[in-house]
Amino acid sequence: MSLWEYANPVKFLRLSSKVLPWAWGLGVACLFIGLVWGFFFTPDDYRMGSTVKIIYLHVPSALMAINAWFMMLVASLIWLIRRHHVSALAAKAAAPVGVAMTLIALVTGAIWGQPMWGTWWVWDPRLTSFLILFLFYLGYLALWAGIGNPDTAADLTSILCIVGSVFAVLSRYAVNFWSQGLHQGASLSLDKEENVADVFYQPLLFSIAGFVLLFFALVLLGTRSEIQFRRARALSLRGNAQ
Amino acid sequence: MMPELGKYAVSVLSAYGATAIIFGVLVVYVLRRSAVAKAALAAQETSKDG
């Protein structure tokens, strides 16, 4: 059985209806465990005090903001190369979720920055590339909304997605290769030395798992809606033509 | 039960509050759009069958 079979909307709707309840349930459970564990049962950091509790929101949302764009990039490339409508609609469905994730990362970052850095905002490379990514998300949604022909909209938004990927990559790696700026290094890294302490790391992993699963659930549900809208539109056009 | 948040209580609670609001709006938007899509498709299928 090939993965491409699920580019068939009927098969996608059938499979997604089975997967969705699991994604919702596991996502809510992981997020609940991560946040309750992190908020109530972890100590304050010796430098950051209780503001360390913000990482359970800021790190997963920032991670998902960037990865949502990469998911949209893959789906857009599949659309451009293989012309599977489900992939274009999945990219469209991921955009509002990506906007929300980017906004959460920006807002929680600003709220954390005020007491820690003494300012809500600085034109730091990481923060600035994240703001540009947020604007790309808004532009992406505006482009979908502004073009009547769905295939043309999918083509143009896919190209915008490729261009915006530069800023997604910058947002992802700016903390590693840009030494200037206020933003500290990555909280999670393959190098264990760079990770946050274990006591914060474990609930953070649950929180990240919750964000990933809820992202997956929201994108699946959004893609189903887009397929249903497309089908309703096709039936309406067919009815008008008869 | 509430942990001692000290002088950063406002910052921590506002971060959690803002996230809850943004996430809540997102979930309501996606669920509402799903309900509208289902209703639109059902209406078209009914009119096609009728």
Side-chain angles (χ1 to χ4, degrees), chain A residues 12 16-17 19-28 64 93-94 97 209-225, chain B residues 23 26-27 30-31 34:
Chain A
F12 177 86
S16 60
S17 68
V19 173
L20 255 176
W22 288 97
W24 277 120
L26 283 172
V28 169
M64 289 319 299
V97 190
F211 268 79
V212 170
L213 287 163
L214 289 177
F215 169 80
F216 182 63
L218 288 165
V219 173
L220 270 189
L221 189 59
T223 309
R224 288 172 62 85
S225 305
Chain B
F23 215 92
L26 172 69
V27 170
V30 173
L31 290 177
S34 168

Side-chain angles (χ1 to χ4, degrees), chain A residues 224-235:
Chain A
R224 288 172 62 85
S225 305
E226 296 303 330
I227 291 171
Q228 287 162 338
F229 274 128
R230 187 71 69 96
R231 171 99 181 119
R233 186 170 181 265
L235 287 174

